[in-house]
C-alpha cells in the first residue's frame, strides 16, 4: 500500500514541505508532481510565494519530452500530407469562379446549396438542362449544365453569398425572374436575391438583393393578385408572417400586411375552389414535431383575415413524412399537387409530391404520387448528390414546363461532423503516442497514484480520516494500482527488442501516421467533393471516350466506375476494337455508357465521326490512365478553346483539335 505524508504547518515561520509519494511498487510513474511550499516571515509576500510554488511544481521528465517529440513528428507528417494533398493554389483561384479576395462561398454548416433548371412536357417528366442539349444556343459555349445559379454567381457580382436556396420563378412574357434565399457571407443572415433570364433559364443575370430585413428571410413565395405582385417570405425569426407588395418590380418592395403573428415556416397561398388557402408550419408549439407539422387556414382574400382549418394541425408526424412544404403547389390535368420535404435522413433530404384529393373547410386529404425524378449516383461530385428540398414548377406559354430546384452536395451539419471525426483522429494519435511510450519503456504508469489535488491549507483530522476510510477513494486507488501494472505487462509481452516487437512498433507508428493524415483530411480536406470548374460563368459537360478490347476488360471496369462519377462527365463511349464486347449493364456506371463495336482493329477508330455525341467537348483518355476527377475537370476548363467550332477533342497526347460532326 502507499504512504501518505501530511506536512505540518509551523507557526514560527519555518518552511513546511508536503510530499506525496507513489505506492511501493517496482515501477515509477513518469508523471510526477513535486510540490514545495515556501512561507516567509512577512505576510504581504504570501501571494508572490504562492505563485512561485505553482511555477516550481512544473517538471519536464523524459516522458514529457518523448510525448512532445512524437507529437511534433506526427504533426510534421500531417503538414506534409496537407501540403501534398490540399495545397493547390489553382483550386482557390478558380473554384466556382470565386477569386482569392472574394468573401463569398465560405464553408457553412447549413450546406452549400445551389440552384438548377429542369424542363419537361409535364411536371412528372422533368429533365435537367444538360439533358436538353441547349449547347447550340449562342450564349452557351458548351451544353449548359446545372447548377445555373451558385454562391459564386452572386459573389462574383459583388454580393457575398455562402449558398442559394428556396428558388421561386415569376414569369413575365419571355423573361424569367428567379427569387431565392441567399445567405450573406458577412452577416450570416438570409436575404432575398433576384436574377433574370432571357434564354429560358440557361443563363441568369444577377440583379441584386430584392429584400433585406434585420431578421432572417427565406422561401420568397411570389404571386400575382389583382394586378399587383406580392411576396410572402419566411420570417419566422421575427415571429410573424409578412406580406410585401412590389413598388418597382423586382427590386423595391414595401410591407403590405402582417398576415399572422406566428413563426410560420415555408408558407404559401393558393386559390382553390373559390377560396384562398394558406399552408404553413409552426415548429414552436408545445409537442410539435419539428419539420413534421402542417396547418391550413382559409380566407376570401390573400390579404386575410384567415380562419383556421377544422382539422388543424393537419399533420404532426415524423419529419420524413413530407409535412413541411417544399415549394410552390401546382395544378396538372385538373388536379392540385402539394410539394413537401422529406427531412428524415438529414434536413431537406428530398422533395415528395402529394395529390390533394379533398380540400374543404372541414376536411383535407392527400396521397403521395411519384415525381419521376432521377437522383444522381455521383455522390458529393453531383451538385444535388446529397439532398434537394425545394421545387417550383410552372407551365410556360409554349405549353412546356419549366422547374427550378435547389440541391446540395453534402448533408446538413457536414462541417461539424468532419470536426468531430477529425478530433477523434487526433485523439487516436495521442493514444498511439502513449502506447509507443509504454513499449519504449518511457511511460511506466497510466495514472499517478498521488492523484488527489494538493490543498495549500491545513486539512483537519476528520477530513484526513474520511479520506483514508472512504470506500470510493479506496476502490479508485486499487483500480489505479492495477491499471499501472498494464504498461509493464504490455512491454513484457510485446518484447520491443525482438524483430517481432520492432514490427509491432512499426505497425503502431503507421497507425498513428494514418490517424494523423485522416484528421488532417477531415479538418483541411473539405467535403470531399471534386467540383467542376465554370467556363465563362457557366457549367457544362463533356463526353469521355476510350478505346479498348477484350483482354483489358478489367481495366475498363475500373475506368468506367471511376470516371463516370466525375461531375462533368455526361456519357462514356467505349470504342471496342477486338473480341466479344461487354454489355453496358456489366459496367458500374453513374452515366450512360455506349459501346461502339468496330469492324477493324485500328488506333484511328477513336477519331471517327460520331453523330450521336451530344456534347461539344470530347475527352479521349486511354483505359489504363487513372487520374483524379479534379485533374480532369481542371484540364477541361483550362484547355477549352475560344473559337466556336462544332466539336473539340482533347487527348493527353494531342492539343485541342477541331473534328467533324
Amino acid at each position: 500500500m502507499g504512504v501518505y505524508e501530511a506536512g505540518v504547518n509551523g507557526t514560527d515561520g519555518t518552511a513546511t514541505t508536503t510530499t506525496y509519494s507513489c505506492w511501493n511498487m517496482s515501477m515509477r510513474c513518469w508523471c510526477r508532481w513535486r510540490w514545495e511550499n515556501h512561507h516567509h516571515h512577512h505576510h504581504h509576500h504570501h501571494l508572490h510565494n504562492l505563485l512561485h510554488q505553482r511555477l516550481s511544481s512544473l517538471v519536464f521528465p523524459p516522458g514529457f519530452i518523448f510525448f512532445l517529440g512524437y507529437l511534433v513528428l506526427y504533426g510534421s507528417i500531417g503538414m506534409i500530407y496537407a501540403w501534398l494533398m490540399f495545397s493547390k493554389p489553382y483550386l482557390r483561384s478558380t473554384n466556382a469562379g470565386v477569386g482569392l479576395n472574394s468573401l463569398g462561398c465560405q464553408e457553412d454548416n447549413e450546406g452549400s446549396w445551389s440552384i438548377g433548371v429542369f424542363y419537361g412536357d409535364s411536371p412528372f417528366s422533368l429533365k435537367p438542362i444538360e439533358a436538353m442539349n441547349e449547347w447550340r444556343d449562342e450564349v452557351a459555349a458548351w451544353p449548359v449544365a446545372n447548377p445555373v445559379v451558385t454562391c459564386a454567381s452572386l459573389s462574383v457580382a459583388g454580393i457575398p453569398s455562402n449558398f442559394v436556396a428556396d428558388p421561386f420563378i415569376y414569369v413575365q412574357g419571355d423573361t424569367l425572374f428567379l427569387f431565392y434565399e441567399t445567405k450573406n457571407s458577412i452577416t450570416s443572415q438570409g436575404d432575398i436575391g433576384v436574377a433574370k433570364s432571357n434564354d429560358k433559364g440557361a443563363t441568369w443575370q444577377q440583379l441584386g438583393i430584392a429584400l433585406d430585413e434585420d431578421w432572417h428571410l427565406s422561401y420568397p413565395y411570389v404571386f400575382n393578385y389583382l394586378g399587383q405582385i406580392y411576396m410572402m417570405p419566411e420570417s419566422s425569426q421575427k415571429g410573424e408572417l409578412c406580406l410585401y407588395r412590389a413598388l418597382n418590380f423586382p427590386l423595391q418592395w414595401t410591407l403590405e400586411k402582417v398576415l399572422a403573428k406566428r413563426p410560420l415556416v415555408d408558407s404559401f397561398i393558393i386559390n382553390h375552389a373559390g377560396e384562398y388557402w394558406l399552408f404553413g408550419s409552426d415548429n414552436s408549439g408545445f409537442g410539435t414535431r419539428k419539420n413534421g407539422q402542417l396547418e391550413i387556414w382559409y380566407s376570401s382574400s390573400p390579404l386575410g383575415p384567415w380562419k383556421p382549418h377544422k382539422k388543424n394541425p393537419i399533420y404532426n408526424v415524423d419529419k420524413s413524412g413530407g409535412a413541411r412544404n417544399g415549394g410552390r403547389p401546382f395544378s396538372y390535368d385538373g388536379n392540385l399537387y402539394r410539394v413537401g420535404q422529406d427531412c428524415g435522413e438529414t434536413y431537406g433530404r428530398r422533395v415528395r409530391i402529394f395529390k390533394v384529393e379533398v380540400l374543404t373547410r372541414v376536411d383535407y386529404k392527400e396521397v403521395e404520387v411519384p415525381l419521376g425524378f432521377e437522383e444522381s449516383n455521383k455522390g458529393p461530385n453531383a451538385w444535388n448528390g446529397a439532398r434537394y428540398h425545394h421545387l417550383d414548377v410552372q407551365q410556360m406559354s409554349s405549353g412546356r414546363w419549366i422547374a427550378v430546384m435547389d440541391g446540395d452536395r453534402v448533408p446538413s451539419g457536414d462541417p461539424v461532423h468532419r470536426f468531430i471525426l477529425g478530433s477523434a483522429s487526433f485523439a487516436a494519435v495521442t493514444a498511439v503516442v502513449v502506447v509507443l511510450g509504454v513499449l519504449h519503456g518511457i511511460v511506466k504508469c497510466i495514472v499517478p497514484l498521488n492523484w488527489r489535488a494538493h490543498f495549500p491549507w491545513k486539512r483537519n483530522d476528520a477530513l484526513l480520516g474520511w479520506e483514508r476510510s472512504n470506500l470510493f477513494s479506496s476502490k479508485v486507488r486499487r483500480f489505479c494500482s492495477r491499471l499501472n501494472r498494464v504498461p509493464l505487462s504490455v512491454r513484457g509481452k510485446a518484447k520491443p527488442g525482438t524483430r517481432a516487437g520492432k514490427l509491432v512498433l512499426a505497425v503502431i507508428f503507421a497507425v498513428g501516421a494514418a490517424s494523423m493524415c485522416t484528421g488532417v483530411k477531415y479538418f483541411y480536406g473539405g467535403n470531399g467533393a471534386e467540383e467542376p470548374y465554370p467556363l465563362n460563368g457557366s457549367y457544362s459537360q463533356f463526353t469521355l471516350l476510350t478505346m479498348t478490347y477484350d483482354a483489358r476488360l478489367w481495366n475498363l471496369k475500373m475506368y468506367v466506375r471511376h470516371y463516370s462519377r466525375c461531375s462533368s462527365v455526361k456519357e462514356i463511349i467505349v470504342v471496342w476494337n477486338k473480341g466479344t464486347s461487354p454489355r453496358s449493364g456489366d459496367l458500374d456506371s453513374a452515366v450512360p455508357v455506349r459501346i461502339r463495336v468496330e469492324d477493324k482493329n485500328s488506333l484511328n477508330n477513336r477519331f471517327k465521326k460520331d453523330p450521336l455525341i451530344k456534347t461539344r467537348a470530347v475527352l479521349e483518355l486511354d483505359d489504363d490512365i487513372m487520374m483524379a476527377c479534379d485533374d480532369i475537370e481542371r484540364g477541361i476548363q483550362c484547355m477549352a478553346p475560344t473559337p466556336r467550332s462544332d466539336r473539340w477533342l482533347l487527348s493527353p497526347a494531342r492539343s485541342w483539335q477541331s473534328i467533324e460532326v
Side-chain angles (χ1 to χ4, degrees):
M1 298 296 291
V3 178
Y4 174 83
E5 299 178 2
V8 180
N9 291 339
T11 57
D12 57 350
T14 59
T16 302
T17 302
T18 303
T19 305
Y20 293 82
S21 63
C22 282
W23 291 22
N24 187 16
M25 299 173 60
S26 59
M27 68 186 77
R28 299 184 63 181
C29 295
W30 69 275
C31 40
R32 180 179 176 186
W33 295 96
R34 294 184 303 183
W35 305 91
E36 294 183 358
N37 296 331
H38 300 281
H39 298 278
H40 294 275
H41 296 286
H42 303 289
H43 180 69
H44 64 274
H45 292 302
H46 176 69
L47 292 178
H48 172 76
N49 293 332
L50 185 60
L51 178 61
H52 180 267
Q53 167 193 332
R54 296 303 184 189
L55 292 176
S56 64
S57 67
L58 297 177
V59 292
F60 299 97
F64 176 81
I65 298 175
F66 174 87
F67 191 80
L68 182 62
Y70 259 94
L71 288 184
V72 170
L73 176 60
Y74 277 128
S76 301
I77 293 175
M79 290 178 62
I80 295 173
Y81 176 77
W83 179 76
L84 291 175
M85 299 300 297
F86 310 121
S87 180
K88 300 180 180 180
Y90 54 81
L91 289 182
R92 296 191 60 187
S93 60
T94 61
N95 185 24
V98 181
L100 288 169
N101 297 324
S102 173
L103 296 174
C105 296
Q106 303 297 317
E107 189 171 63
D108 197 293
N109 198 48
E110 292 188 65
S112 56
W113 296 93
S114 52
I115 298 171
V117 173
F118 298 76
Y119 304 103
D121 295 327
S122 79
F124 301 100
S125 63
L126 297 173
K127 300 293 182 184
I129 188 172
E130 56 265 25
M132 309 308 293
N133 293 322
E134 297 288 341
W135 69 279
R136 295 188 184 277
D137 229 57
E138 283 299 314
V139 298
W142 297 341
V144 176
N146 283 326
V148 294
V149 178
T150 67
C151 59
S153 307
L154 277 72
S155 300
V156 170
I159 309 170
S161 171
N162 280 359
F163 63 78
V164 290
D166 293 354
F168 284 100
I169 294 177
Y170 189 83
V171 182
Q172 277 191 344
D174 294 330
T175 303
L176 302 176
F177 291 91
L178 181 69
F179 293 85
Y180 51 84
E181 172 197 355
T182 171
K183 187 171 183 179
N184 190 297
S185 302
I186 301 174
T187 64
S188 296
Q189 176 182 289
D191 302 322
I192 304 303
V194 60
K196 76 172 182 177
S197 174
N198 296 314
D199 54 11
K200 306 173 186 176
T203 59
W204 294 88
Q205 175 190 355
Q206 299 301 320
L207 301 181
I209 298 299
L211 195 60
D212 180 7
E213 297 284 17
D214 294 333
W215 52 88
H216 178 85
L217 297 173
S218 61
Y219 206 83
Y221 183 72
V222 181
F223 64 96
N224 189 291
Y225 175 66
L226 297 180
Q228 298 289 327
I229 303 176
Y230 293 90
M231 181 197 300
M232 187 177 66
E234 178 195 318
S235 53
S236 59
Q237 190 179 82
K238 191 185 180 187
E240 297 177 345
L241 180 63
C242 301
L243 184 67
Y244 296 82
R245 178 172 52 86
L247 294 178
N248 186 10
F249 185 84
L251 289 174
Q252 292 184 4
W253 300 80
T254 184
L255 178 63
E256 182 75 7
K257 189 175 183 181
V258 175
L259 298 181
K261 293 279 188 179
R262 296 181 62 182
L264 298 181
V265 299
D266 297 353
S267 305
F268 64 75
I269 295 174
I270 57 169
N271 186 356
H272 179 74
E275 289 191 286
Y276 286 90
W277 304 87
L278 169 63
F279 287 61
S281 300
D282 184 353
N283 294 326
S284 65
F286 178 76
T288 298
R289 297 193 178 185
K290 187 175 181 181
N291 298 326
Q293 196 256 18
L294 178 67
E295 297 184 52
I296 300 176
W297 296 264
Y298 61 90
S299 174
S300 59
S301 164
L303 303 181
W306 296 96
K307 299 179 180 179
H309 194 279
K310 183 178 180 180
K311 286 192 172 182
N312 276 349
I314 302 299
Y315 291 125
N316 189 23
V317 296
D318 184 76
K319 58 185 178 181
S320 63
R324 181 169 176 168
N325 294 321
R328 187 190 303 270
F330 60 90
S331 296
Y332 179 68
D333 281 349
N335 297 309
L336 176 64
Y337 296 88
R338 184 183 71 88
V339 184
Q341 291 185 46
D342 177 353
C343 298
E345 302 171 35
T346 182
Y347 170 71
R349 174 60 187 89
R350 61 176 62 86
V351 296
R352 299 171 63 178
I353 306 299
F354 299 90
K355 178 183 176 182
V356 178
E357 295 185 330
V358 178
L359 176 55
T360 66
R361 295 184 178 185
V362 296
D363 198 10
Y364 180 79
K365 291 181 181 179
E366 64 181 16
V367 60
E368 185 173 4
V369 296
L371 174 60
F373 175 73
E374 260 186 59
E375 295 187 6
S376 174
N377 294 322
K378 295 187 177 185
N381 289 347
W383 68 278
N384 57 351
R387 49 184 179 159
Y388 52 97
H389 81 332
H390 185 101
L391 173 70
D392 182 10
V393 55
Q394 298 188 41
Q395 190 172 22
M396 297 185 292
S397 57
S398 62
R400 194 184 191 191
W401 290 78
I402 184 172
V404 287
M405 180 186 293
D406 61 11
D408 195 0
R409 301 178 182 277
V410 294
S412 178
D414 181 69
V416 173
H417 177 71
R418 286 188 279 113
F419 175 81
I420 294 174
L421 292 179
S423 300
S425 299
F426 290 150
V429 173
T430 305
V432 166
V433 173
V434 173
V435 173
L436 289 173
V438 169
L439 295 178
H440 280 293
I442 302 298
V443 177
K444 297 182 179 179
C445 72
I446 304 300
V447 179
L449 296 178
N450 48 346
W451 55 274
R452 287 178 295 185
H454 170 70
F455 297 94
W457 58 86
K458 180 178 180 180
R459 290 178 289 184
N460 57 41
D461 294 338
L463 179 60
L464 293 176
W466 178 86
E467 287 182 344
R468 294 189 183 98
S469 62
N470 183 265
L471 182 61
F472 175 76
S473 177
S474 176
K475 287 184 177 181
V476 170
R477 282 184 170 274
R478 190 177 300 113
F479 172 77
C480 292
S481 177
R482 292 173 180 174
L483 187 63
N484 285 339
R485 296 192 186 103
V486 173
L488 188 61
S489 175
V490 170
R491 180 171 168 79
K493 292 180 179 180
K495 299 179 181 179
T498 64
R499 287 187 177 182
K502 292 178 180 179
L503 179 60
V504 170
L505 287 174
V507 170
I508 294 176
F509 179 84
V511 170
S515 299
M516 174 58 72
C517 294
T518 301
V520 169
K521 177 182 176 182
Y522 281 123
F523 271 100
Y524 301 105
N527 55 30
E530 296 180 277
E531 302 182 27
Y533 293 80
L535 178 67
N536 299 329
S538 297
Y539 293 96
S540 184
Q541 292 188 325
F542 61 89
T543 299
L544 187 61
L545 184 145
T546 190
M547 186 171 60
T548 189
Y549 57 98
D550 53 358
R552 302 170 67 92
L553 181 58
W554 180 250
N555 278 20
L556 179 64
K557 288 184 176 181
M558 292 190 297
Y559 180 97
V560 170
R561 177 180 175 82
H562 173 67
Y563 288 118
S564 68
R565 286 159 176 81
C566 295
S567 181
S568 298
V569 174
K570 180 181 179 68
E571 181 186 26
I572 296 178
I573 298 177
V574 179
V575 179
W576 194 264
N577 267 356
K578 179 185 175 183
T580 303
S581 64
R583 296 172 300 176
S584 298
D586 296 335
L587 304 174
D588 179 8
S589 178
V591 300
V593 177
R594 179 160 57 92
I595 300 177
R596 200 178 77 196
V597 180
E598 299 292 341
D599 298 329
K600 181 181 178 182
N601 187 355
S602 171
L603 292 176
N604 291 325
N605 285 337
R606 53 187 162 181
F607 302 117
K608 278 188 176 180
K609 181 170 61 174
D610 190 341
L612 297 180
I613 293 178
K614 299 176 181 179
T615 62
R616 190 174 178 212
V618 180
L619 174 63
E620 189 277 321
L621 194 63
D622 290 347
D623 63 341
D624 58 353
I625 297 178
M626 298 298 288
M627 304 171 63
C629 287
D630 180 73
D631 293 331
I632 296 293
E633 300 283 356
R634 182 166 48 94
I636 287 290
Q637 190 267 351
C638 293
M639 297 299 294
T642 302
R644 289 182 177 271
S645 63
D646 288 334
R647 181 141 307 138
W648 293 83
L649 173 69
L650 176 62
S651 172
R654 301 166 179 81
S655 60
W656 280 98
Q657 304 173 23
S658 176
I659 63 175
E660 298 181 43
V661 179

